[in-house]
Each structure stands twice: as structure tokens, then as C-alpha cells.
Amino acid sequence: MKLACVVHRYGADIAGGSEGHCRLIAERLAKTHDVTVITTTAHDHVTWANHYPPGETRVGPVRAIRFPVVRSRDLHRFRDISDVVLTNRANASEEEQWFRENGPQAPALVTYLETHGRDFDCVLFWAFRYYNSYFGLPLVADRAVLIPTAEEDPLIHIDSLTPFFALPRGYLFLTPEEEALVGDRAAPETPRRVIGCGVDPPCPVDDSRLAAAGVTGSYVLYLGRIDPNKGCDMLLRHFLRYVERTPSANAADPATRDNPSTSANPVLVLAGPANMPIPEHPLIRRLGYVDEATRDALLANARVLLMPSPYESLSMVLLEAWNRGTPALVNARCAVLKGQVLRADGGLYYQSALEFAGALDYLLGHRDVARQLGAQGQAYVDREYRWPTVMQKVESLLEEIGPRH
Amino acid sequence: MTSAETIRVPAVMKRIEEDVQSAVRRRLVKHGMPAYADEQVFERARAILEHAAAGRDLNVLLLPELLGDEVEWSLVPNLTLSSHRSSIGKVILLVKRHILLPLTRWLFEYSQDNFRRQERLNRILLASAEELAVENARLRADLDAIRAKLLGGQGAPG
């Protein structure tokens, strides 16, 4: 089939999120289909500033066409319109304006879909919340497959999305929770699959990377962007409250201050770029961005992976931790995270600081149980998230939809 | 691993949640809430408040409908710049947007975050009042049914 994959940013150096998901799927589809990625010249996910040259290029095995962004995102304007739209006070025109302000505004991309969209048998759109999907999908609705990457945030409930979600010819969802959130607004007979994302079997890790990164002894891990929007401010408050209950963890204790790993409590290792201040504490270690090998070693050796995000459409880090047999402790206010943990029997969850402390205590105090929860998570990844399983579901949806002419 | 050995997360979480709730209840009793000495009372109250705080869409509530025009009572954290002067209005707006707003943006954004928190808390309190009203209506209906049953029994001639 001749396929187009439409996504707001695309590049080998853009990891994670819906962009990473698009690249992983597009590269695998390119083995058996003629795939073109239709995207923008943006690299920065905040400003959408033009970075890549416009026009046709190749990114790995995939042909890509990039269209310029005509206006960078004005964060003040975006924040102001978000306040109106996300509190259910907006009219239809303000809701539409939200998608313009969110960007990346690349009208030439939309025009291209209007004039050339029907050259493709099927057009796959990633992430409903961006300009390219919201304004582009209606132009090729009869051959559009939407991968919404929806989270249960206030945006999902706005009125304009009800007719929008009725348009696509098919859906690929990341989790059953996402299907429940979006799928009701599509016709019941609309073809759909819950695919998640593929994970390769784990490769051996180099444990010496831990010492090189200054990580010794027992630790719990947060891996990803350190950002209040990811729940990290609350995670740090919960963790500090947890460790401050134990006198030996107190910074005033000379033994602990000199060597945190001797404390009864584990060190919290934060690995990822930080967009917020991180408190100085002997039991908090900030590593910043880490390379792939260090990331693997951190995931394989952590006592517990912490996932505090309130909004997720699928947590890849959670799957990667389970891939290494590491149990997780997740924010139960995120239905997707809680659902993933329950389906996998691969960890615990919390809603409050006290539950965070209770669950973390349990996982640290019951090593055998924690180890088995991690193993159960790994078995779940083996069952559901290996690439052949994921791609078989994608191919079966494309087959069901069939080429459009 | 056989299925008999599988550890089920809900069973583990139930134990942890019960321990946490018990600790919270004992602390509240100790600090002046004797009604929670009765575990059932505590559990019932907790369930009602939890549903108000986390179990529903806070943008869709009954009390705001009864209060009428939302603009009259809800917090408006976003800033709308306008001018009522038709002739020089555009100039005034330009000055406000490009000179005054950048100068005061930090103060505006500091206040805006606090307004957002207050707005959320207001809606949780409205939801709590509504949950209590629903609970009260249910109890009233039960009471009326019991009273009718009793009066019906008494009314029969002997």
C-alpha cells in the first residue's frame, strides 16, 4: 500500500512521545509498504522554531516531506486560550483557535494533504491535539487512521472533538483506556485495534555504567523529563516526606550525609533533562541526560521505577522497566498507568503521599514480592508488546480498511 | 511461573490502602474527630468526599447551574485585554499588550497559578456540597419509605 504518516515533528534525534512512536511504526511499515512521512521543519516542541530544511529528504529507510512552520508558538497567548478552552468556557471558534495556537502552524502541510492526500491509500495521523492532525485529517477522512495518543486531560472533553473523532476511517489506540476515552465518539463499526508500542527483547547491560554515573547502593528511579507537568514536583514532595519519616535518612545524620547508600532508605535517582528546580538532599541524585547504555543499566538495577505522571497515553518507560524485570510504582490518578499496572500485575500504585509511602515501603520491604511483580511485568511485555505482535495488529487494521481510490 | 504463584496487584493494594486509611482515621480521632472512631462512619465519609474530589468531572455540577450565569461568580484566571474607546482603543490596546503586559507578566502569572488552584478547590467544594445533597436526598427517600410503611401498619383497623 501507499501510506502517508502525518506527524508534527520527525527526526532520528527526536525520541519518545507520539513522534517516536510514529518513527518506530513508519520504519517497520516501510519494510512492506511505500511510506512517506509528512511533517514540519520544527524540532523544538515548545516553540516549533524552524530547524530542518523544508522539502523532501530521507530519514533512515523512510521518505519524508517537511513543511515550514509559519509562526512560532506564543506561550502567553497559548496559555491564555488554554485557560478559556480547558475550563469548558469556550465557544467553537475559540476551541478551533486553541489548535492554531498549539501549532505547529504549517498551512502548506494542510494544503499538501488537500491536493495530494488522495494519492495515498491510507493516511495515518499521530496525536489529535496538533494543528496538522486537527486541520489535516478532515481533508482525507475517508482514508485516515488516527492514532490519537489521547490523555485524560481537560482538552479531551471539548465539544469540537466530538465531530472530529467521528471522522477517521480507522483507529489505532495505545491502551484500552485510550480506546474508552475516544472510541465512543466514533461509529461503533469503525475498525480499531489497541496496539501499544513494540519493545525489543532486553540486551545485556553494562553495570559499570552505574558507578561511572555515581550511582551506588540501593536506589529507586525516575527516568524521563523532570517537569511539573510529568508530576515530578509532587513526586519530590512525596519522596522527601517519605524519607524524612526515617531518622537515619535525615541530612543531619552524619553517617547518612557522608554515604547516603548506608541509609535505611534508597536514593532517588532522577535521570533526564530538568525543567524545574530539584531540592538539594543527600538522598536525591540528579544525573541529567543519560546515554542509552546508562539508561539500560539504571532500569535493570533499580529497586523500583517511579512513574508520577498524571497524564499519559502509554508509558514507554514503564514497558522498558518491565522489559528489565523491574517493578513499578505509578500514579493511580492516571487511568492508563493504573490500567497498565493492573493488566501486567507488575507493580503498585498510589493516590496520596501516604499511599506512596505505604506502597514504596511495601516494595522495598518485600524483595521477593517486588521481584515477582517485575517478572510478571516482563511476562506481560513478552505477551503484548513484542514488535511482531504489534505490527500484526497494525497490518490487520490496514487490511480491514483496504486501499481507497 | 504458574498461575497459582501469580501475585495479584489488587490484593496487595487492598492491604496497603487499608493500612493507610486506618492510620489516617486514628490520627483524625486523636486530633478531635471522635465520629471516626466508628470505622463505618469514616469509610462512608471518605467515599463521599473522594468521589467529589477525584471521581467526577468538576466542570459539570448542579450547583453552578442553579447559581446562574457562571461569569458572575467563577474565577477568570485568563487575561482579556480590551478598550471601550472606539477611536484610540487600538492604540491603548497596543500599549497594554506590548508595554504594560510584559512589565507585569510575572505578577500576572504568579497570581494566575494561585487562581487556578483556588478555582479547582472551589469546584471540589461545590462537588462535595452536591455529594452531600445527593446523600441527604437518598436518606430522606429511605426515611419517607420507612415512615409510610410504619404508618400503613398502624393505620390498619384492629
Side-chain angles (χ1 to χ4, degrees):
Chain A
M1 288 172 85
K2 194 173 178 191
L3 305 175
C5 298
V6 183
V7 69
H8 46 289
R9 297 188 302 161
Y10 192 86
D13 53 345
I14 297 173
S18 47
E19 304 94 319
H21 189 261
C22 172
R23 186 161 58 85
L24 292 169
I25 299 281
E27 287 177 355
R28 280 162 180 83
L29 284 173
K31 291 175 186 169
T32 47
H33 300 278
D34 175 3
V35 176
T36 302
V37 169
I38 298 171
T39 187
T40 72
T41 51
H43 181 273
D44 187 312
H45 72 285
V46 177
T47 66
W48 305 128
N50 287 309
H51 170 83
Y52 301 106
E56 194 173 324
T57 183
R58 283 203 83 79
V59 183
V62 175
R63 169 188 180 237
I65 309 175
R66 299 185 191 280
F67 294 91
V69 177
V70 294
R71 206 185 78 191
S72 293
R73 180 154 54 179
D74 180 326
L75 288 178
H76 295 319
R77 275 226 301 263
F78 177 59
R79 202 169 163 167
D80 288 345
I81 189 98
S82 294
D83 270 325
V84 178
V85 170
L86 305 185
T87 50
N88 222 13
R89 290 195 287 247
N91 57 35
S93 136
E94 287 167 326
E95 288 183 357
E96 191 175 298
Q97 187 59 22
W98 187 91
F99 288 95
R100 286 185 204 285
E101 296 296 344
N102 193 30
Q105 282 195 44
L109 183 156
V110 175
T111 306
Y112 179 85
L113 286 173
E114 193 168 23
T115 52
H116 292 89
R118 285 182 168 68
D119 299 345
F120 298 95
D121 297 316
C122 181
V123 185
L124 295 95
F125 287 86
W126 268 262
F128 77 91
R129 66 183 59 234
Y130 296 105
Y131 175 95
N132 45 291
S133 292
Y134 187 77
F135 294 104
L137 187 147
L139 304 171
V140 286
D142 66 333
R143 63 200 62 218
V145 170
L146 179 61
I147 301 98
T149 65
E151 301 158 0
E152 195 169 4
D153 60 4
L155 181 68
I156 199 74
H157 301 295
I158 68 171
D159 293 341
S160 347
L161 288 175
T162 299
F164 178 81
F165 285 144
L167 292 173
R169 178 132 167 77
Y171 272 102
L172 292 172
F173 294 110
L174 299 182
T175 61
E177 287 78 19
E178 187 191 24
E179 182 183 10
L181 202 58
V182 173
D184 283 354
R185 284 177 269 183
E189 65 276 12
T190 306
R192 59 188 76 189
R193 302 285 187 280
V194 178
I195 59 165
C197 186
V199 180
D200 290 320
C203 52
V205 293
D206 175 5
D207 287 343
S208 68
R209 293 287 184 150
L210 292 183
V215 177
T216 53
S218 175
Y219 66 93
V220 294
L221 175 68
Y222 172 81
L223 184 61
R225 207 170 73 231
I226 302 162
D227 191 306
N229 291 330
K230 293 283 179 188
C232 292
D233 49 351
M234 198 177 283
L235 170 68
L236 288 167
R237 286 198 297 275
H238 286 357
F239 182 75
L240 288 175
R241 197 169 155 185
Y242 171 72
V243 297
E244 280 161 9
R245 294 181 323 171
T246 311
S248 64
N250 196 299
D253 182 339
T256 302
R257 190 180 54 227
D258 295 342
N259 184 5
S261 63
T262 62
S263 156
N265 288 306
V267 170
L268 168 61
V269 173
L270 302 166
N275 294 337
M276 57 177 275
I278 296 170
E280 291 291 328
H281 192 283
L283 290 175
I284 296 177
R285 179 148 307 147
R286 174 184 163 181
L287 301 184
Y289 174 82
V290 293
D291 60 28
E292 197 82 0
T294 307
R295 180 187 166 92
D296 286 344
L298 283 168
L299 281 167
N301 289 284
R303 297 283 300 278
V304 179
L305 175 86
L306 303 173
M307 260 307 289
S309 178
Y311 301 122
E312 286 290 328
S313 54
L314 173 75
S315 172
M316 281 306 295
V317 175
L318 191 53
L319 298 184
E320 287 172 32
W322 285 335
N323 201 26
R324 300 271 172 200
T326 301
L329 176 57
V330 307
N331 183 353
R333 296 195 188 279
C334 176
V336 166
L337 291 177
K338 186 177 173 183
Q340 278 185 283
V341 160
L342 285 171
R343 279 189 292 281
D345 279 315
L348 302 178
Y349 48 83
Y350 63 92
Q351 289 213 49
S352 64
L354 286 173
E355 283 184 8
F356 175 86
L360 187 54
D361 242 358
Y362 189 92
L363 288 169
L364 296 174
H366 297 77
R367 276 187 181 244
D368 290 348
V369 174
R371 204 171 289 131
Q372 189 170 337
L373 290 172
Q376 290 173 182
Q378 194 171 39
Y380 174 68
V381 170
D382 282 339
R383 273 195 318 273
E384 301 286 336
Y385 292 108
R386 295 298 175 211
W387 274 114
T389 310
V390 171
M391 290 311 293
Q392 191 274 328
K393 292 179 190 172
V394 176
E395 293 287 1
S396 77
L397 181 98
L398 295 176
E399 200 175 303
E400 186 178 346
I401 288 174
R404 311 292 287 182
H405 301 290
Chain B
M1 192 190 328
T2 65
S3 60
E5 292 169 330
T6 301
I7 295 171
R8 293 294 175 205
V9 169
V12 179
M13 281 310 305
K14 188 167 183 285
R15 282 218 301 273
I16 293 169
E17 284 163 355
E18 282 172 358
D19 285 350
V20 166
Q21 283 159 25
S22 173
V24 171
R25 188 177 65 79
R26 279 184 270 115
R27 186 159 53 86
L28 289 168
V29 171
K30 190 177 164 189
H31 290 277
M33 194 59 190
Y36 293 151
D38 182 334
E39 278 183 46
Q40 283 186 331
V41 170
F42 173 79
E43 180 46 39
R44 190 78 191 156
R46 194 195 62 79
I48 290 171
L49 293 176
E50 185 169 288
H51 189 243
R56 55 181 300 180
D57 183 351
L58 294 173
N59 285 319
V60 187
L61 298 168
L62 176 60
L63 196 51
E65 298 293 330
L66 304 177
L67 285 172
D69 187 2
E70 194 168 320
V71 174
E72 296 296 315
W73 60 268
S74 67
L75 288 168
V76 182
N78 58 302
L79 181 67
T80 307
L81 292 176
S82 61
S83 170
H84 64 281
R85 296 168 205 272
S86 55
S87 51
I88 57 165
K90 281 186 179 171
V91 178
I92 292 173
L93 271 181
L94 199 75
V95 171
K96 280 182 180 174
R97 187 165 288 131
H98 293 286
I99 298 175
L100 294 180
L101 186 57
L103 287 174
T104 56
R105 193 90 212 185
W106 67 271
L107 181 61
F108 169 62
E109 286 181 355
Y110 171 78
S111 317
Q112 202 177 29
D113 279 343
N114 283 303
F115 277 136
R116 278 202 192 93
R117 290 176 190 183
Q118 185 64 56
E119 171 81 354
R120 181 167 176 272
L121 187 62
N122 288 352
R123 289 193 175 266
I124 288 173
L125 292 173
L126 290 175
S128 300
E130 190 170 314
E131 292 290 333
L132 292 173
V134 169
E135 190 69 8
N136 191 49
R138 282 192 186 130
L139 290 172
R140 172 80 59 176
D142 289 349
L143 192 62
D144 287 348
I146 292 167
R147 188 176 289 139
K149 204 171 166 185
L150 285 174
L151 288 175
Q154 280 174 1

